[in-house]
Amino acid sequence: MAIEDEDQIKLIIQSKRDEIVGKLNDRISQEVFKEIEVIQNKHDLLARDELARPFTI
Amino acid sequence: MPADQLVYPFSETTRFLGSSAISDYISRYLTIIEAKTIVVERDYIDKDYLIDFSKFYSRSFNIDKKRTTRVHFFDHIFSNEEFQDIVMTGDPQKIEQLNEHYLGFSVVKPIQDQNQKDLIGRTLLKTYRDEENDFKRKYLRYKHEISLFGIKLVIDSLPYQTQDSAVGGCATIACWIVLQQLSYKFELERASLFEITEKSVHIPTIGRNFPSHGLTMEQIKSFFDAINLETEFILPSIMAESQFYDPKVDCFVEDAIKAYLELGVPILVGIALQIKDENRSFTRKIIDILRSKKIDLNFKYHAAVVTGYKSINKRIIELYLHDDGIGPYCKTLPVNGFYKWNNEWISRSGYTAIHVQTLLIPLYPKIRLPFKEIYIVFLGQKRGFEAWNRELGIDPSLYNAELFLMDIRQYKQFLLKENFVNKLEIMLKSFPRFLWVIRHNYGQKPFFDFLIDATDVYANKAFQVIVFNYPVVQS
């Protein structure tokens, strides 16, 4: 359901703001680091083929 | 034509730009931005062409012209006499009026392509309007001062030129366009098409270096290495394989374009143009060899540069490319997301699909933290916010996240106008020159910025977090 009224949106966010702020932090989780490693490895394997591709049009 | 006849109606443009597909695109583009009059500057010395002439064409038997023709475009009507009067008097008011109506220029080189069509050289055209109804447009462009017989004109644009396969194919042109923007952004030396190809072919291929038949991604990378830039090479299809990636709401290509264009960094895109199925006279043996080398005969590979986009509610709905096969700021639409595109390669050249294969982003070496890593951090945070929204019963359509690469000047200028917790302390704090900004918005307004020092080697934690004060409404 899309909420059209801007004041209504502000009220919803205002009422939940403190709860969200309470969840925020400045850290990056270990799960994210592991995922970076997985994607980086997959990427490096396939990127080698693509690097040699000629652009000729 | 008389030598003192300089001004012509726009309808006579083809006479000077020729009849190539690119000049046709330029005429169509100028019609949309309402060109009315042209001024022809004969015997114009174009630095890019002059370098290519001295390094390549001057040793050709049949090419002896080193000067070009430059055609200027205006969106108002004036006569040859009126224009000559401005040249004679230098009337500042009339010069200002010319500037208000100036749409840019195209250089026509005194050489032809294989179809005997005039080659379009350095071209600067005014962009479409920045805002239109609820749409916003963002472009890579900067101000250029032009001297037309001593009259100072200014145009805010990004240079374009078409392919000149003697000295550079599509990839060389893409490098040239990228370099135009980066030389402005990071004060780098510019290079002509010949010079770019010359620097790239240090990595050998089996083909000839000149005439050029294109470059590989490796050769493109080697050119940027030679001018002391780092490059980030990304396969979008792999990024979309992350466990944090949600194809229903995420689009890696769109996010990457938004992130880099914010800083003013162009993205060189490797695209695969899909050919209509045709009967080819290859033997089974050749087809088997090509397959073993992962060469697909159904595709032709091309390079273009993303130079702008149109958005609504912070989502990109249209891209603008500098594509040497189409023209400057050519409109490109997504096909079920930005992994596939639709533009004139399909509507005019007959290809059946355009697949985005690779992104190559040349970067100032001090920007060290790779996008590939930051993007996973971005996706992880986005999924976290979505979970909180579900938990707190917040309508998911109120939330969105953005990722930007910004420099300190841009970011602090943005902060200056915002209201957030600990503002004075944060404004006075020393910041790194480049930042990755992960922004979480509610109701299209920033709520939380997670800043990562882009000059760092590892992204362990935020350099700074910013919690914005949401506008309060009395209930």
Side-chain angles (χ1 to χ4, degrees):
Chain A
M1 179 189 69
I3 299 168
E4 301 292 335
D5 185 282
E6 200 180 331
D7 280 353
Q8 200 189 345
I9 294 169
K10 285 177 188 168
L11 274 172
I12 293 166
I13 305 303
Q14 198 177 302
S15 65
K16 309 285 182 188
R17 184 181 186 280
D18 291 345
E19 284 177 86
I20 301 174
V21 170
K23 294 172 187 284
L24 300 175
N25 68 62
D26 64 355
R27 295 277 156 186
I28 295 166
S29 72
Q30 281 307 310
E31 198 190 357
V32 167
F33 284 127
K34 278 183 196 153
E35 182 64 5
I36 289 173
E37 210 180 318
V38 170
I39 292 295
Q40 190 74 279
N41 287 341
K42 277 189 192 175
H43 195 276
D44 289 352
L45 279 172
L46 284 155
R48 279 179 216 136
D49 284 344
E50 289 294 331
L51 269 174
R53 192 185 293 289
F55 295 95
T56 53
I57 294 290
Chain B
M1 60 191 92
D4 60 351
Q5 177 73 34
L6 307 167
V7 179
Y8 299 84
F10 176 67
S11 55
E12 291 196 40
T13 303
T14 316
R15 221 171 109 187
F16 301 97
L17 290 192
S19 56
S20 65
I22 308 301
S23 46
D24 176 55
Y25 171 90
I26 290 171
S27 297
R28 283 185 281 120
Y29 183 98
L30 286 161
T31 304
I32 295 169
I33 59 172
E34 297 176 358
K36 301 273 191 307
T37 309
I38 62 171
V39 175
V40 179
E41 192 181 3
R42 297 176 181 91
D43 270 347
Y44 173 69
I45 298 169
D46 178 69
K47 189 182 168 192
D48 280 274
Y49 175 66
L50 196 62
I51 295 170
D52 289 345
F53 181 84
S54 83
K55 294 203 169 212
F56 184 83
Y57 290 111
S58 61
R59 297 184 71 183
S60 299
F61 175 73
N62 62 342
I63 296 169
D64 56 3
K65 289 182 187 151
K66 61 179 182 181
R67 297 197 182 176
T68 66
T69 301
R70 187 160 69 157
V71 185
H72 300 262
F73 312 102
F74 297 85
D75 67 2
H76 70 319
I77 295 170
F78 54 91
S79 68
N80 197 51
E81 290 68 32
E82 284 170 308
F83 181 73
Q84 288 192 2
D85 184 58
I86 299 172
V87 176
M88 290 297 288
T89 61
D91 184 332
Q93 276 184 329
K94 286 181 180 165
I95 290 176
E96 199 185 319
Q97 193 194 21
L98 271 184
N99 253 308
E100 280 167 17
H101 295 277
Y102 190 50
L103 302 178
F105 69 80
S106 271
V107 165
V108 186
K109 299 183 194 180
I111 45 174
Q112 279 83 37
D113 63 15
Q114 61 179 356
N115 302 316
Q116 300 297 304
K117 310 276 188 194
D118 291 336
L119 281 176
I120 299 292
R122 197 162 184 268
T123 295
L124 285 162
L125 296 181
K126 188 179 169 177
T127 52
Y128 298 115
R129 269 190 293 236
D130 287 0
E131 292 192 17
E132 213 174 313
N133 306 321
D134 292 334
F135 301 120
K136 284 185 179 157
R137 290 189 178 97
K138 184 170 187 69
Y139 292 105
L140 297 183
R141 61 185 179 195
Y142 56 99
K143 285 195 165 49
H144 298 257
E145 281 188 9
I146 290 123
S147 172
L148 171 58
F149 308 122
I151 299 167
K152 185 176 142 190
L153 298 170
V154 178
I155 186 85
D156 198 9
S157 186
L158 182 67
Y160 166 88
Q161 68 170 312
T162 189
Q163 190 173 130
D164 176 353
S165 55
V167 290
C170 68
T172 297
I173 301 283
C175 291
W176 181 86
I177 291 162
V178 164
L179 189 57
Q180 298 295 313
Q181 173 69 15
L182 294 182
S183 58
Y184 158 73
K185 188 81 196 160
F186 301 124
E187 295 172 0
L188 303 170
E189 201 178 320
R190 290 186 173 85
S192 79
L193 299 182
F194 183 94
E195 290 169 323
I196 291 170
T197 306
E198 194 178 35
K199 281 195 170 95
S200 308
V201 294
H202 287 300
I203 294 181
T205 57
I206 50 163
R208 291 188 60 114
N209 296 334
F210 294 98
S212 172
H213 295 290
L215 302 174
T216 63
M217 259 305 172
E218 255 170 335
Q219 290 177 318
I220 296 173
K221 184 171 165 39
S222 107
F223 165 70
F224 290 114
D225 286 351
I227 58 166
N228 300 319
L229 288 176
E230 280 291 340
T231 44
E232 185 144 8
F233 179 68
I234 309 174
L235 302 176
S237 54
I238 301 299
M239 299 309 296
E241 280 192 18
S242 167
Q243 58 160 320
F244 297 135
Y245 191 85
D246 179 354
K248 291 194 288 295
V249 288
D250 298 321
C251 178
F252 175 79
V253 176
E254 179 186 354
D255 291 332
I257 289 169
K258 218 169 167 187
Y260 282 110
L261 263 63
E262 187 67 22
L263 182 65
V265 173
I267 299 184
L268 194 155
V269 185
I271 53 179
L273 300 170
Q274 196 168 342
I275 304 162
K276 273 185 190 147
D277 246 354
E278 286 163 357
N279 293 326
R280 292 192 190 83
S281 57
F282 287 107
T283 61
R284 167 64 46 198
K285 196 175 174 189
I286 291 202
I287 289 171
D288 287 345
I289 292 169
L290 292 170
R291 276 206 190 118
S292 72
K293 292 184 178 297
K294 294 180 182 167
I295 296 169
D296 193 334
L297 291 170
N298 292 319
F299 295 97
K300 287 185 176 176
Y301 296 93
H302 177 64
V305 183
V306 179
T307 52
Y309 63 78
K310 179 175 167 182
S311 66
I312 185 165
N313 293 335
K314 299 185 189 294
R315 291 302 304 251
I316 299 180
I317 54 164
E318 184 175 85
L319 298 179
Y320 302 106
L321 311 181
H322 271 35
D323 187 321
D324 72 315
I326 303 175
Y329 297 119
C330 66
K331 290 183 181 183
T332 297
L333 294 168
V335 179
N336 300 324
F338 283 93
Y339 292 91
K340 278 171 85 179
W341 292 348
N342 186 358
N343 64 20
E344 292 191 13
W345 282 113
I346 293 174
S347 61
R348 287 184 174 254
S349 301
Y351 289 95
T352 55
I354 305 165
H355 303 264
V356 175
Q357 295 274 111
T358 48
L359 308 182
L360 187 118
I361 304 113
L363 287 170
Y364 191 68
K366 215 175 149 183
I367 302 166
R368 297 187 185 114
L369 266 183
F371 183 72
K372 289 195 281 284
E373 291 182 23
I374 298 302
Y375 192 66
I376 304 294
V377 178
F378 167 72
L379 290 180
Q381 286 191 10
K382 206 173 164 184
R383 299 293 90 87
F385 267 79
E386 286 163 357
W388 296 340
N389 292 340
R390 283 194 295 275
E391 196 183 302
L392 298 169
I394 297 174
D395 184 331
S397 69
L398 293 182
Y399 168 79
N400 68 48
E402 298 172 288
L403 173 58
F404 301 118
L405 178 60
M406 294 176 98
D407 63 29
I408 171 181
R409 198 181 309 173
Q410 266 179 305
Y411 190 68
K412 283 217 169 166
Q413 276 171 5
F414 159 78
L415 284 186
L416 202 57
K417 290 177 267 171
E418 297 293 322
N419 180 8
F420 53 92
V421 180
N422 296 332
K423 182 165 181 176
L424 187 62
E425 186 192 320
I426 291 169
M427 291 306 290
L428 299 181
K429 184 177 170 178
S430 176
F431 272 44
R433 181 168 169 197
F434 298 104
L435 293 160
W436 284 110
V437 180
I438 299 177
R439 176 165 300 153
H440 302 275
N441 301 298
Y442 280 101
Q444 307 295 332
K445 290 189 172 58
F447 178 84
F448 178 62
D449 271 5
F450 188 93
L451 310 182
I452 302 169
D453 173 3
T455 69
D456 204 347
V457 181
Y458 306 106
N460 294 320
K461 61 181 289 223
F463 160 76
Q464 178 74 52
V465 293
I466 297 192
V467 181
F468 294 91
N469 291 321
Y470 208 82
V472 174
V473 177
Q474 297 304 319
S475 52

